[in-house]
Amino acid sequence: FGGKISVYEQPVAALLSKKSGRPVKVTMGRGDVFEGTGPTPGSYIRVKLGATKDGKLIAGEAYLAYEAGAFPGSPINPGCMCIFACYDIANAKVEGYDVCVNKPRTNAYRAPGSTNAAFAVESVLEEVCQQLGVCSTKFRLKNAAKQGMRRVDGYVYPRIGMIETLTAIQNSDHYQSKLDGPNRGRGIACGFWFNAGLKSSVTVTVNNDGRVSLIEGSTDIGGTRTSIAMQLAETLGIGADDVIPSVVDTDSVGYTDVTGGSRVTLATGLAAHEAGLKIRDLMRQAAADLWEVDPAAVKYEDGYIFCQNGQSKRLSFKQLADELQHESAPITASASVDAPASSNAFGCHLVDVEVDPDTGKVSILRYTVAQDAGTAIHPAYVEGQMQGGVAQGIGWALNEEYWYDASGTMRNAGYLDYRIPTALDLPNIETIIVEVPNPDHPYGVRGVGEVPICPPPAAIASAIHNATGVRMTQLPMSPPRLLHELLKVK
């Protein structure tokens, strides 16, 4: 999830082919992929929070150092942006360092930089609540970011859904249920991602049968062809099945920025909406020419084009497309947008765990995620993104790490030793879609794909603490590492 943004073997193949004058094929084995392509950065984070006795956050200080690998370029900037983003802290100071180390360069991995930051600040927030003797959920609600708040980097929030996600979790069946049994604990955490807008382009063509071709440049990694087609269909007032989406190469569509987990439905969907508005105007003009009336008298509404000029005329989108096949030039429109990066998205997660005190193994018993999707264009896809992010976050929390020996050799460069969660490690991940419309999108869309990886490590760490009394401060919280801490308190 981000690993294919950069290219690796292609430039090598191109240069070798140029040098040799022959076709060259370069392949990477599994070990090569682990060792030579960018992981997310290792990090060291130090957080201090100050709060009044009545539970109001008044100060925050954070120091973040992120591994960049052999070349500068870690996601330290978004890490610094995200670390206090969920809370209203009047006085804050953040220091961030992009640290070069003798390892392969790091790369983007789902909300790059934010999961590290959330693990740190959410863990310290739990310690503050413990010292104050207050409920951490109520504490979060009291200090939650809201519209008009100035984030630590200076950005002032428009309408956002942080409070709504917390409330959704608080009202959930999971939160209201009891958790019984030894060595069991419940944890909660929040997370944030800013949602890049960036540039997107589409081209839309009306076919004679009334169906519409949609050409886009955003690679589909999570059902975005469908979600963008649905936005175009909504704009035109036609059925989503009548839109035929295609992802094409860079020679076939206008410039489109990188496909990211929280950008495509937002930005490329906005381009589709703009192109749809142009198609509506062209259809109105074509109908006016067909009916020999002033274009100002022709209206477009809910997929129908009509004119009230003494003799009522009204055609559906499909009927007019059929009428125009011999009477009009092809109707096509392109649109390009540079979407604002203001679709701020928040999530709140709740997890129950059971810890085996003899081995340090953590079992996830129940997991619920609430997230503000703005408007859920395709709810099943939204839920899938939320569940996928949680699954990756659980892997990061409990098992996943690159392990180097003293000589700098990666010793677990394969899926036998680099352990990711399987279906046996995960419960049914419950989802609550919260919809607080994004004011900068005609349909209120917010990016969905990246936020759900941010809270899991912090939520699981909190649950482990509530189950065992041990506060973990290093990821992953693998059985050997957790058992080492458990044995200290026995």
Side-chain angles (χ1 to χ4, degrees):
F1 208 107
K4 293 183 176 65
I5 291 175
S6 297
V7 295
Y8 297 97
E9 62 268 73
Q10 294 93 329
V12 177
L15 289 173
L16 288 174
S17 180
K18 181 178 180 181
K19 187 175 182 66
S20 65
R22 300 181 63 184
V24 171
K25 178 180 181 180
V26 177
T27 60
M28 300 177 74
R30 181 66 69 194
D32 298 328
V33 172
F34 270 95
E35 295 175 356
T37 62
T40 200
S43 60
Y44 170 82
I45 302 176
R46 186 174 63 245
V47 173
K48 294 172 68 176
L49 292 175
T52 60
K53 289 182 179 180
D54 63 350
K56 178 62 181 173
L57 282 170
I58 56 172
E61 183 178 10
Y63 170 98
L64 302 89
Y66 281 18
E67 285 187 353
F71 305 96
S74 74
I76 186 62
N77 289 336
C80 291
M81 180 203 310
C82 293
I83 193 158
F84 293 138
C86 290
Y87 303 105
D88 187 358
I89 305 176
N91 308 284
K93 176 185 177 183
V94 179
E95 290 183 79
Y97 294 89
D98 189 33
V99 183
C100 289
V101 294
N102 192 23
K103 294 179 183 177
R105 75 176 294 270
T106 58
N107 225 321
Y109 175 55
R110 204 169 198 155
S114 185
T115 302
N116 316 50
F119 177 60
V121 73
E122 294 290 313
S123 297
V124 174
L125 187 145
E126 288 286 330
E127 293 187 65
V128 170
C129 293
Q130 184 181 10
Q131 291 192 28
L132 291 174
V134 299
C135 168
S136 66
T137 307
K138 293 179 180 177
F139 184 89
R140 286 179 170 89
L141 277 166
K142 185 171 185 176
N143 294 283
K146 51 188 174 292
Q147 183 174 351
M149 188 200 94
R150 184 178 297 277
R151 202 168 58 207
V152 67
D153 59 327
Y155 177 78
V156 177
Y157 283 132
R159 189 181 180 195
I160 56 174
M162 172 65 181
I163 291 175
E164 286 81 356
T165 61
L166 273 162
T167 303
I169 285 292
Q170 194 175 38
N171 294 334
S172 68
D173 175 70
H174 185 176
Y175 191 89
Q176 303 293 334
S177 67
K178 290 184 178 181
L179 179 62
D180 298 319
N183 306 310
R184 292 184 172 186
R186 176 171 291 170
I188 189 171
C190 298
F192 164 83
W193 188 247
F194 63 96
N195 290 182
L198 306 178
K199 299 175 178 62
S200 283
S201 301
V202 304
T203 297
V204 176
T205 302
V206 179
N207 301 317
N208 295 337
D209 61 358
R211 303 180 78 190
V212 176
S213 297
L214 167 64
I215 295 175
E216 53 167 305
S218 295
T219 309
D220 187 341
I221 60 170
T224 51
R225 265 181 297 206
T226 300
S227 62
I228 295 164
M230 291 173 72
Q231 291 178 71
L232 176 61
E234 183 75 12
T235 305
L236 296 176
I238 62 177
D241 290 344
D242 289 327
V243 178
I244 309 165
S246 300
V247 177
V248 296
D249 61 25
T250 53
D251 290 331
S252 306
V253 72
Y255 179 80
T256 299
D257 270 315
V258 62
T259 290
S262 55
R263 194 195 80 78
V264 175
T265 299
L266 166 70
T268 309
L270 182 59
H273 172 70
E274 300 263 342
L277 294 178
K278 292 180 181 180
I279 291 292
R280 287 170 48 159
D281 288 341
L282 290 170
M283 294 287 276
R284 287 177 52 252
Q285 180 64 56
D289 293 342
L290 180 67
W291 295 332
E292 298 181 345
V293 298
D294 185 347
V298 180
K299 307 297 181 185
Y300 191 113
E301 187 175 310
D302 296 330
Y304 285 88
I305 301 89
F306 57 92
C307 175
Q308 304 286 352
N309 63 337
Q311 182 179 358
S312 179
K313 300 179 185 295
R314 186 173 185 268
L315 291 173
S316 69
F317 186 91
K318 284 189 176 183
Q319 289 170 331
L320 182 57
D322 181 60
E323 289 274 347
L324 295 177
Q325 63 178 308
H326 302 300
E327 304 291 337
S328 171
I331 293 181
T332 184
S334 297
S336 296
V337 300
D338 188 2
S342 60
S343 173
N344 306 280
F346 297 84
C348 184
H349 293 199
L350 187 68
V351 61
D352 295 344
V353 306
E354 182 174 32
V355 179
D356 185 336
D358 295 323
T359 65
K361 183 181 185 298
V362 177
S363 298
I364 307 295
L365 304 177
R366 188 173 183 181
Y367 205 108
T368 300
V369 48
Q371 184 172 322
D372 177 17
T375 299
I377 296 296
H378 195 303
Y381 287 164
V382 170
E383 290 179 347
Q385 289 293 323
M386 292 161 68
Q387 291 166 334
V390 168
Q392 288 185 317
I394 290 172
W396 191 339
L398 298 180
N399 294 106
E400 295 187 48
E401 65 177 330
Y402 277 28
W403 194 83
Y404 292 91
D405 63 18
S407 67
T409 301
M410 186 178 176
R411 299 302 298 271
N412 63 332
Y415 284 120
L416 181 63
D417 299 308
Y418 181 95
R419 191 172 182 280
I420 63 175
T422 70
L424 299 176
D425 301 306
L426 301 172
N428 178 40
I429 299 167
E430 301 166 50
T431 58
I432 304 171
I433 299 176
V434 177
E435 295 185 292
V436 179
N438 171 19
D440 288 326
H441 191 284
Y443 299 126
V445 173
R446 297 186 194 272
V448 169
E450 303 196 66
V451 176
I453 199 176
C454 304
I460 293 169
S462 175
I464 291 172
H465 176 263
N466 291 331
T468 66
V470 171
R471 178 81 63 189
M472 297 297 290
T473 59
Q474 187 175 356
L475 297 177
M477 297 171 287
S478 57
R481 191 168 284 153
L482 178 54
L483 182 61
H484 182 269
E485 298 302 316
L486 289 172
L487 292 174
K488 288 182 180 180
V489 298
K490 281 191 175 181

